[in-house]
Amino acid sequence: MSTLILDKNAVRRLLGMPEVLSAVEEAFRLHAEGKAAMPPKAYLTVERGDFRAMPAALPGCAGIKWVSVHPGNLSRNLPSVMAVIIYNDRETGYPLAVMEATIITAYRTGASAAIAAKYLARKNSRTLGLIGAGYQAHTQLMAHAGIFDLEKVNVFDISAEAVSNLIKAFPDLPLRRSSIEEAAASDIVCTLTPSRRPIVKREWILPGTHVNAVGADAAGKEELDPAVLKAATVVVDDLKQAASGGEINVPVAQGIYSPDEVYGTLPEIVAGKRRGRADERQITVFDSTGIAIEDIAVAKLIYERARAQGGYPQVELV
Amino acid sequence: MSTLILDKNAVRRLLGMPEVLSAVEEAFRLHAEGKAAMPPKAYLTVERGDFRAMPAALPGCAGIKWVSVHPGNLSRNLPSVMAVIIYNDRETGYPLAVMEATIITAYRTGASAAIAAKYLARKNSRTLGLIGAGYQAHTQLMAHAGIFDLEKVNVFDISAEAVSNLIKAFPDLPLRRSSIEEAAASDIVCTLTPSRRPIVKREWILPGTHVNAVGADAAGKEELDPAVLKAATVVVDDLKQAASGGEINVPVAQGIYSPDEVYGTLPEIVAGKRRGRADERQITVFDSTGIAIEDIAVAKLIYERARAQGGYPQVELV
């Protein structure tokens, strides 16, 4: 027995968004059917940031993502978020692989939002609005382009350079620089910022819009005017995480919004336990916080592809 | 930046019990002084076993041990317990190393029991009793021999072969095969079995004995007659873990023993917040369950030694 070591270059080479979309959708279905196991995230807090342990099991596999979040790293020319997955055989516990997981996180986050849009956005959605043009915008774009036939992608960022870089990175997609209002007036809107105050106004969101609220990932962060949540059908990936650190966390803490108002979870909708969009004028919001089954599902994909292709380094780790 | 990959052979080469004893003792002191961080273990339960996430931070470092416990593995010729540590820079979160941790676990468990004996056993202790002669007996022996001048080591196991193998492995130490009663009548007694019923009787334990109760590591396991606990000053590594899965767990569940009867924690004693042995006739028991700061302290030792020596494989993991 041996353990595959898959570094960032290997993971990048082995990842493809179409397969990630299928793997994450299937993980949601299994989760809603009670075939996954996922204890709550465990937090280890230190002076300059924190570490999060995200264990999960799916049929045939198990593992843990260990993520560090150190916001001050940018001044040291290091990413603020770094993640590693230990991927195990569920039957024996054997550690089959250790792999870079920052890229996996970006892909699965993009995929889960696009899967939310698949079930919640209007079927004829043709315009995508990206608010925030950082690294997460790349995978959001790839994922949505894998499901929707996009005619226009409106990109807003406070950094003009970030917008230009995104447009250059996808020469075959119909990207254009836009105002935040134009981006918010798209059929599908993805908010991808680290904002701590609402930046998307209620009046900008048209009837029938689907919003993926992705940026808020900790207590105190929010991107949407709470009136958007009040007007919308809100779907979460995990209710407890959403209430404590997702888009709804600030309005919940302020008593403006109650977790009881949440319609349901994306896994429930994927598994057919709840219906998706009800009509053409409904506003829908997916509050994405990220759950460990998404990571382990993608790790499984990468592991199996690496084994099938061969040639990746392996060690007798244990 | 790069991540060191330290497999089982590297870890075995880099580990020395004297340094492990110092590192674990220092970790206990830091913990009692509030300089460590250690959220509770997270459990991921699957059909054939479970996985445990054990995060911890010490000054300058942080990390997580991810352990699988799959009792049925022995029939597949695989260890039942396998562990991996991701070792991080506390300041930036960077994953500095990924290392095998089953051997680390054995070493730190031996060290923590010997440190307990250092503070709780009689200073003139000369005989060691090992009840159970499996792999853990090796590291218990190494650790106690690093602190005490042993004149006799009484070894009992239901497997005569295990006893022979242990004796052969330590030709320079005064090991002898003994009955369980003789082993229990030693100055320091280590119980190292997977027993689920008491195997050490109250009347075998002499006044002044120190017992390291190491085997019980899950609900339902116990090795000592509860009357030993009632007669003894009981010290734990972590009270919550001890009450739910350590030596005291069964008597606590049966209402025979209360967690309130526990004298204190080993970290408190090491830090001088509580005194150790009071007199020559006191019976003391250390209920060892294993805590993550022990693992991360040893990981730090290994990492620093590997970096200093050089020549170990490294990858651009993240």
Side-chain angles (χ1 to χ4, degrees):
Chain A
M1 301 279 291
S2 63
T3 304
L4 280 176
I5 306 293
L6 302 169
D7 67 11
K8 59 183 170 189
N9 293 320
V11 167
R12 205 172 273 129
R13 222 159 31 233
L14 290 161
L15 266 178
M17 188 56 90
E19 307 87 84
V20 171
L21 284 164
S22 308
V24 172
E25 187 170 354
E26 172 70 359
F28 286 149
R29 195 181 58 72
L30 291 165
H31 181 42
E33 291 172 352
K35 292 172 187 157
M38 186 168 53
K41 288 183 191 179
Y43 286 80
L44 173 66
T45 304
V46 293
E47 298 76 14
R48 296 181 195 277
D50 64 53
F51 295 85
R52 298 162 196 187
M54 299 174 65
L58 288 167
C61 65
I64 191 164
K65 183 168 79 168
W66 178 237
V67 201
S68 62
V69 181
H70 282 60
N73 277 1
L74 296 173
S75 67
R76 299 179 187 225
N77 212 17
L78 267 178
S80 56
V81 176
M82 291 181 278
V84 176
I85 286 176
I86 303 173
Y87 176 78
N88 304 74
D89 183 350
R90 178 175 174 141
E91 299 303 306
T92 65
Y94 193 88
L96 298 167
V98 174
M99 61 183 83
E100 200 276 350
T102 320
I103 302 164
I104 291 173
T105 304
Y107 269 71
R108 62 79 151 151
T109 305
S112 67
I115 293 162
K118 175 178 166 182
Y119 289 90
L120 294 168
R122 297 194 318 280
K123 294 287 168 235
N124 60 352
S125 294
R126 289 287 175 271
T127 60
L128 175 67
L130 300 175
I131 297 175
Y135 184 51
Q136 181 54 227
H138 292 241
T139 48
Q140 290 286 337
L141 185 56
M142 288 160 65
H144 285 85
I147 292 182
F148 294 92
D149 197 5
L150 298 173
E151 288 171 359
K152 189 161 66 177
V153 181
N154 297 306
V155 185
F156 169 79
D157 197 291
I158 49 173
S159 157
E161 194 190 348
V163 175
S164 301
N165 289 342
L166 186 68
I167 292 174
K168 273 182 226 148
F170 293 91
D172 299 335
L173 287 175
L175 275 67
R176 59 187 287 274
R177 179 187 313 272
S178 82
S179 66
I180 187 168
E181 292 88 333
E182 283 175 293
S186 307
D187 296 333
I188 301 169
V189 180
C190 299
T191 59
L192 311 168
T193 76
S195 183
R196 293 186 160 266
R197 55 174 187 79
I199 53 170
V200 174
K201 295 190 180 162
R202 169 67 189 93
E203 60 265 32
W204 298 344
I205 301 291
L206 303 174
T209 303
H210 172 70
V211 181
N212 287 313
V214 177
D217 62 350
K221 290 191 177 179
E222 64 176 331
E223 301 180 283
L224 307 180
D225 181 342
V228 177
L229 298 175
K230 295 303 251 187
T233 298
V234 177
V235 170
V236 298
D237 46 14
D238 182 277
L239 186 57
K240 213 176 142 198
Q241 280 186 196
S244 63
E247 179 59 36
I248 65 171
N249 91 82
V250 176
V252 164
Q254 293 170 337
I256 302 172
Y257 189 83
S258 161
D260 296 340
E261 296 176 65
V262 168
Y263 170 68
T265 72
L266 182 55
E268 288 169 342
I269 291 171
V270 168
K273 298 193 166 184
R274 284 185 194 273
R275 65 184 290 188
R277 168 168 291 271
D279 64 59
E280 294 296 292
R281 294 186 59 80
Q282 188 180 25
I283 295 171
T284 52
V285 171
F286 172 53
D287 180 352
S288 167
T289 62
I291 54 179
I293 52 164
E294 299 166 6
D295 301 298
I296 301 307
V298 178
K300 182 177 200 219
L301 192 72
I302 289 174
Y303 170 75
E304 287 173 355
R305 193 172 270 196
R307 276 279 183 230
Q309 289 185 7
Y312 290 96
Q314 36 192 303
V315 298
E316 288 203 24
L317 188 63
V318 301
Chain B
M1 300 281 291
S2 63
T3 304
L4 279 176
I5 306 293
L6 301 170
D7 67 10
K8 60 183 169 188
N9 293 320
V11 167
R12 204 172 275 130
R13 220 159 33 232
L14 291 161
L15 265 178
M17 188 56 88
E19 308 88 86
V20 171
L21 283 164
S22 309
V24 172
E25 187 170 353
E26 173 71 359
F28 286 149
R29 194 181 59 73
L30 291 165
H31 181 42
E33 291 172 353
K35 293 172 188 156
M38 186 169 53
K41 290 183 190 178
Y43 285 79
L44 173 66
T45 304
V46 294
E47 297 76 13
R48 297 181 195 277
D50 64 55
F51 296 85
R52 297 161 197 187
M54 299 173 65
L58 287 167
C61 65
I64 191 166
K65 184 168 80 168
W66 178 237
V67 201
S68 61
V69 181
H70 282 59
N73 277 2
L74 296 174
S75 67
R76 298 179 188 223
N77 211 19
L78 268 178
S80 56
V81 176
M82 291 181 279
V84 176
I85 286 176
I86 303 172
Y87 176 78
N88 304 74
D89 183 351
R90 179 175 173 140
E91 299 303 305
T92 65
Y94 194 88
L96 298 167
V98 174
M99 61 184 83
E100 200 276 348
T102 320
I103 302 165
I104 292 173
T105 304
Y107 269 70
R108 61 79 151 152
T109 305
S112 68
I115 293 161
K118 176 178 167 181
Y119 289 89
L120 294 168
R122 297 195 318 279
K123 293 287 169 237
N124 60 353
S125 294
R126 289 289 176 270
T127 59
L128 176 66
L130 300 175
I131 297 175
Y135 184 51
Q136 181 53 226
H138 292 242
T139 48
Q140 290 287 337
L141 185 54
M142 289 159 64
H144 284 85
I147 291 181
F148 295 92
D149 196 5
L150 298 173
E151 288 171 1
K152 189 160 67 176
V153 181
N154 297 306
V155 186
F156 170 78
D157 196 291
I158 49 173
S159 158
E161 194 190 348
V163 176
S164 301
N165 288 342
L166 185 67
I167 292 174
K168 271 182 228 151
F170 293 90
D172 299 335
L173 288 175
L175 275 68
R176 59 185 286 275
R177 178 188 312 273
S178 82
S179 66
I180 187 168
E181 293 88 334
E182 283 174 292
S186 307
D187 296 333
I188 301 168
V189 181
C190 300
T191 59
L192 312 168
T193 75
S195 184
R196 295 187 159 265
R197 54 175 187 79
I199 54 170
V200 174
K201 294 190 180 162
R202 169 66 190 92
E203 60 265 31
W204 298 344
I205 302 291
L206 302 174
T209 304
H210 172 69
V211 181
N212 287 313
V214 177
D217 62 350
K221 290 191 177 177
E222 63 176 332
E223 300 181 284
L224 306 180
D225 181 342
V228 176
L229 299 176
K230 295 302 251 186
T233 298
V234 177
V235 170
V236 298
D237 46 14
D238 183 277
L239 186 56
K240 213 175 143 201
Q241 279 186 196
S244 63
E247 179 60 35
I248 65 171
N249 91 81
V250 175
V252 165
Q254 292 170 340
I256 301 172
Y257 189 83
S258 160
D260 296 339
E261 296 175 66
V262 168
Y263 170 68
T265 72
L266 182 55
E268 288 168 344
I269 292 172
V270 168
K273 298 194 167 185
R274 281 185 194 274
R275 65 183 292 188
R277 167 168 293 270
D279 65 58
E280 295 296 291
R281 294 186 59 80
Q282 189 181 23
I283 295 171
T284 52
V285 171
F286 172 55
D287 181 352
S288 166
T289 62
I291 55 180
I293 52 163
E294 300 166 5
D295 301 300
I296 300 309
V298 179
K300 182 175 200 222
L301 191 72
I302 290 174
Y303 170 74
E304 287 173 355
R305 193 172 271 197
R307 277 278 182 229
Q309 289 185 5
Y312 290 96
Q314 34 192 303
V315 298
E316 289 203 25
L317 188 62
V318 301

